[in-house]
Short mmCIF file of all heavy atoms in Angstrom, two decimals:
data_model
loop_
_atom_site.label_atom_id
_atom_site.label_comp_id
_atom_site.label_asym_id
_atom_site.label_seq_id
_atom_site.Cartn_x
_atom_site.Cartn_y
_atom_site.Cartn_z
N TYR A 156 70.18 95.98 101.43
CA TYR A 156 70.76 97.20 100.85
C TYR A 156 70.74 97.23 99.33
O TYR A 156 71.28 98.16 98.73
CB TYR A 156 72.21 97.36 101.35
CG TYR A 156 72.30 97.88 102.77
CD1 TYR A 156 72.48 97.00 103.83
CD2 TYR A 156 72.19 99.24 103.04
CE1 TYR A 156 72.54 97.47 105.13
CE2 TYR A 156 72.25 99.72 104.34
CZ TYR A 156 72.43 98.82 105.38
OH TYR A 156 72.49 99.30 106.67
N GLY A 157 70.14 96.23 98.71
CA GLY A 157 70.15 96.17 97.25
C GLY A 157 69.53 97.38 96.58
O GLY A 157 69.91 97.74 95.46
N SER A 158 68.62 98.06 97.26
CA SER A 158 67.96 99.22 96.66
C SER A 158 68.94 100.37 96.41
O SER A 158 68.64 101.27 95.60
CB SER A 158 66.82 99.71 97.56
OG SER A 158 67.32 100.11 98.83
N ILE A 159 70.11 100.36 97.04
CA ILE A 159 71.05 101.45 96.82
C ILE A 159 71.60 101.43 95.39
O ILE A 159 72.16 102.42 94.93
CB ILE A 159 72.23 101.43 97.81
CG1 ILE A 159 73.19 100.27 97.54
CG2 ILE A 159 71.74 101.40 99.25
CD1 ILE A 159 74.48 100.35 98.35
N LEU A 160 71.42 100.29 94.70
CA LEU A 160 71.93 100.20 93.33
C LEU A 160 71.29 101.23 92.41
O LEU A 160 71.86 101.57 91.37
CB LEU A 160 71.71 98.79 92.79
CG LEU A 160 72.57 97.69 93.43
CD1 LEU A 160 72.19 96.33 92.88
CD2 LEU A 160 74.05 97.97 93.19
N TRP A 161 70.13 101.76 92.79
CA TRP A 161 69.54 102.83 92.00
C TRP A 161 70.46 104.05 91.98
O TRP A 161 70.37 104.88 91.08
CB TRP A 161 68.17 103.21 92.56
CG TRP A 161 67.11 102.16 92.35
CD1 TRP A 161 66.56 101.37 93.30
CD2 TRP A 161 66.50 101.79 91.11
NE1 TRP A 161 65.63 100.52 92.75
CE2 TRP A 161 65.57 100.76 91.39
CE3 TRP A 161 66.63 102.24 89.79
CZ2 TRP A 161 64.80 100.17 90.40
CZ3 TRP A 161 65.85 101.64 88.81
CH2 TRP A 161 64.94 100.63 89.12
N GLY A 162 71.33 104.13 92.99
CA GLY A 162 72.22 105.27 93.08
C GLY A 162 73.33 105.30 92.06
O GLY A 162 74.07 106.29 91.96
N VAL A 163 73.48 104.23 91.27
CA VAL A 163 74.50 104.24 90.22
C VAL A 163 73.94 104.79 88.91
O VAL A 163 74.67 104.91 87.93
CB VAL A 163 75.09 102.83 89.98
CG1 VAL A 163 75.64 102.25 91.28
CG2 VAL A 163 74.07 101.90 89.35
N LEU A 164 72.65 105.12 88.91
CA LEU A 164 72.02 105.65 87.71
C LEU A 164 72.00 107.18 87.76
O LEU A 164 71.80 107.78 88.83
CB LEU A 164 70.59 105.12 87.57
CG LEU A 164 70.46 103.59 87.49
CD1 LEU A 164 68.99 103.20 87.45
CD2 LEU A 164 71.19 103.06 86.26
N PRO A 165 72.18 107.83 86.63
CA PRO A 165 72.21 109.32 86.59
C PRO A 165 70.81 109.92 86.65
O PRO A 165 70.34 110.57 85.72
CB PRO A 165 72.88 109.60 85.25
CG PRO A 165 72.52 108.44 84.38
CD PRO A 165 72.50 107.24 85.31
N THR A 166 70.13 109.72 87.78
CA THR A 166 68.75 110.19 87.91
C THR A 166 68.63 111.46 88.74
O THR A 166 67.58 112.09 88.74
CB THR A 166 67.88 109.10 88.57
OG1 THR A 166 68.48 108.73 89.83
CG2 THR A 166 67.81 107.87 87.68
N ASP A 167 69.69 111.85 89.46
CA ASP A 167 69.64 113.03 90.33
C ASP A 167 70.94 113.80 90.17
O ASP A 167 72.01 113.30 90.50
CB ASP A 167 69.45 112.60 91.79
CG ASP A 167 69.18 113.78 92.72
OD1 ASP A 167 69.58 114.92 92.38
OD2 ASP A 167 68.57 113.57 93.78
N SER A 168 70.84 115.02 89.68
CA SER A 168 72.04 115.82 89.42
C SER A 168 72.77 116.20 90.70
O SER A 168 73.94 116.57 90.67
CB SER A 168 71.67 117.09 88.66
OG SER A 168 70.75 117.88 89.40
N GLY A 169 72.09 116.10 91.84
CA GLY A 169 72.72 116.45 93.10
C GLY A 169 73.45 115.30 93.76
O GLY A 169 74.02 115.47 94.84
N ILE A 170 73.41 114.14 93.15
CA ILE A 170 74.07 112.94 93.72
C ILE A 170 75.14 112.46 92.75
O ILE A 170 74.92 112.39 91.54
CB ILE A 170 73.03 111.83 93.97
CG1 ILE A 170 72.03 112.28 95.03
CG2 ILE A 170 73.73 110.53 94.41
CD1 ILE A 170 70.93 111.27 95.28
N SER A 171 76.29 112.11 93.31
CA SER A 171 77.40 111.65 92.45
C SER A 171 77.21 110.19 92.08
O SER A 171 77.76 109.29 92.72
CB SER A 171 78.74 111.85 93.17
OG SER A 171 79.79 111.32 92.37
N TRP A 172 76.42 109.96 91.01
CA TRP A 172 76.29 108.57 90.54
C TRP A 172 77.62 108.04 90.05
O TRP A 172 77.87 106.82 90.10
CB TRP A 172 75.24 108.49 89.44
CG TRP A 172 75.57 109.22 88.18
CD1 TRP A 172 75.22 110.50 87.86
CD2 TRP A 172 76.33 108.72 87.08
NE1 TRP A 172 75.73 110.83 86.63
CE2 TRP A 172 76.40 109.76 86.12
CE3 TRP A 172 76.95 107.50 86.80
CZ2 TRP A 172 77.08 109.62 84.91
CZ3 TRP A 172 77.62 107.34 85.59
CH2 TRP A 172 77.68 108.38 84.66
N GLN A 173 78.52 108.94 89.62
CA GLN A 173 79.84 108.50 89.18
C GLN A 173 80.63 107.87 90.33
O GLN A 173 81.23 106.81 90.19
CB GLN A 173 80.63 109.68 88.61
CG GLN A 173 79.99 110.37 87.42
CD GLN A 173 79.07 111.52 87.82
OE1 GLN A 173 78.72 111.70 88.98
NE2 GLN A 173 78.69 112.31 86.84
N GLY A 174 80.60 108.53 91.49
CA GLY A 174 81.27 107.98 92.66
C GLY A 174 80.66 106.68 93.12
O GLY A 174 81.36 105.76 93.53
N HIS A 175 79.33 106.58 93.02
CA HIS A 175 78.64 105.36 93.41
C HIS A 175 79.00 104.20 92.47
O HIS A 175 79.32 103.10 92.93
CB HIS A 175 77.12 105.58 93.37
CG HIS A 175 76.64 106.58 94.36
ND1 HIS A 175 75.34 107.05 94.38
CD2 HIS A 175 77.28 107.24 95.36
CE1 HIS A 175 75.20 107.92 95.36
NE2 HIS A 175 76.37 108.06 95.96
N LEU A 176 78.94 104.47 91.17
CA LEU A 176 79.21 103.43 90.19
C LEU A 176 80.65 102.94 90.29
O LEU A 176 80.89 101.72 90.35
CB LEU A 176 78.94 103.95 88.78
CG LEU A 176 79.32 103.02 87.62
CD1 LEU A 176 78.55 101.71 87.71
CD2 LEU A 176 79.09 103.70 86.28
N PHE A 177 81.59 103.85 90.34
CA PHE A 177 82.98 103.43 90.40
C PHE A 177 83.33 102.87 91.79
O PHE A 177 84.23 102.03 91.91
CB PHE A 177 83.91 104.59 90.02
CG PHE A 177 84.02 104.77 88.53
CD1 PHE A 177 83.12 105.56 87.84
CD2 PHE A 177 85.02 104.13 87.82
CE1 PHE A 177 83.20 105.73 86.47
CE2 PHE A 177 85.12 104.28 86.44
CZ PHE A 177 84.21 105.07 85.76
#
Side-chain angles (χ1 to χ4, degrees):
Y156 283 97
S158 61
I159 71 170
L160 290 176
W161 290 109
V163 305
L164 301 176
T166 56
D167 189 335
S168 60
I170 296 177
S171 176
W172 64 267
Q173 300 91 348
H175 296 172
L176 174 60
F177 279 88

